[in-house]
Amino acid sequence: MNAPAPLPLRIAPLTREAFAPFGEVIETAGATAFPINAGTTTRYHDLAQVKLAGESARTLVNLFEGKAWHPPLEIRMLERHPLGSQAFYPVDGGRMLIVVAPPGELDESKIRAFISEPDQGVNYARGTWHHPLLCLQHPGRFLVVDRGGDGHNCDEQLLKQPLSALNLP
């Protein structure tokens, strides 16, 4: 039996409003900001909320280095973290292709795709389905905040119908 041909993946710009069902956009535009340290630093306050569940949960701060992806891309799987949110922010101005679906049982008809700007990151809400890191154009370094501790915190699921991104905006 042949695998189904990939469906085209529609990609939208990353905005707070469009991404709200999946988590939070991390960006300074529109954020609460105020000076600290005698005016030498600007604090962009409360950009995302780290949410953790389960016993012995703790917050991890990580640095990920992702390889560059170039079109055409095929999306064949998504993963989710049922016990905690997971935030990604580029430290070198890298852009991401963000492929997500709402928490719960994976509904492939609700998969959405976004493309970030170099100064945007995301915080995936706990249980949100998402593709692993997809750096665009060049390898990227990302500050990642997620959950550590006991318990199973990563589910992966193959898609019944792969998706294809032939061109990126």
Side-chain angles (χ1 to χ4, degrees):
M1 183 186 226
N2 292 336
L7 295 173
L9 180 64
R10 285 180 262 149
I11 303 168
L14 182 62
T15 65
R16 282 188 172 109
E17 297 77 22
F19 195 73
F22 312 104
E24 300 153 309
V25 174
I26 301 171
E27 63 184 339
T28 58
T32 300
F34 49 88
I36 61 171
N37 304 112
T40 62
T41 303
T42 300
R43 177 177 176 146
Y44 295 94
H45 186 68
D46 202 16
L47 298 177
Q49 295 182 16
V50 176
K51 305 246 176 152
L52 305 176
E55 292 195 35
S56 73
R58 66 186 192 283
T59 302
L60 302 177
V61 176
N62 311 283
L63 187 62
F64 285 18
E65 291 184 342
K67 73 175 196 170
W69 291 82
H70 303 279
L73 299 172
E74 270 200 15
I75 306 302
R76 297 188 164 279
M77 64 79 72
L78 295 179
E79 66 179 29
R80 68 176 174 183
H81 304 285
L83 298 179
S85 58
Q86 188 178 45
F88 288 77
Y89 191 83
V91 297
D92 61 357
R95 294 172 63 218
M96 296 180 284
L97 176 62
I98 300 154
V99 181
V100 291
E105 292 301 313
L106 179 56
D107 182 345
E108 293 185 26
S109 71
K110 294 185 178 177
I111 292 174
R112 301 274 313 273
F114 302 93
I115 193 159
S116 70
E117 292 298 324
D119 60 349
Q120 290 179 310
V122 294
N123 184 38
Y124 296 118
R126 187 166 64 101
T128 294
W129 291 97
H130 63 278
H131 193 279
L133 181 61
L134 290 167
C135 301
L136 299 178
Q137 295 139 343
H138 60 81
R141 298 183 89 190
F142 290 80
L143 181 69
V144 178
V145 179
D146 62 358
R147 180 195 183 278
D150 296 337
H152 177 76
N153 193 33
C154 186
D155 299 324
E156 294 182 352
Q157 188 165 327
L158 293 175
L159 300 179
K160 294 176 188 151
Q161 179 77 49
L163 299 167
S164 178
L166 298 176
N167 299 304
L168 299 173

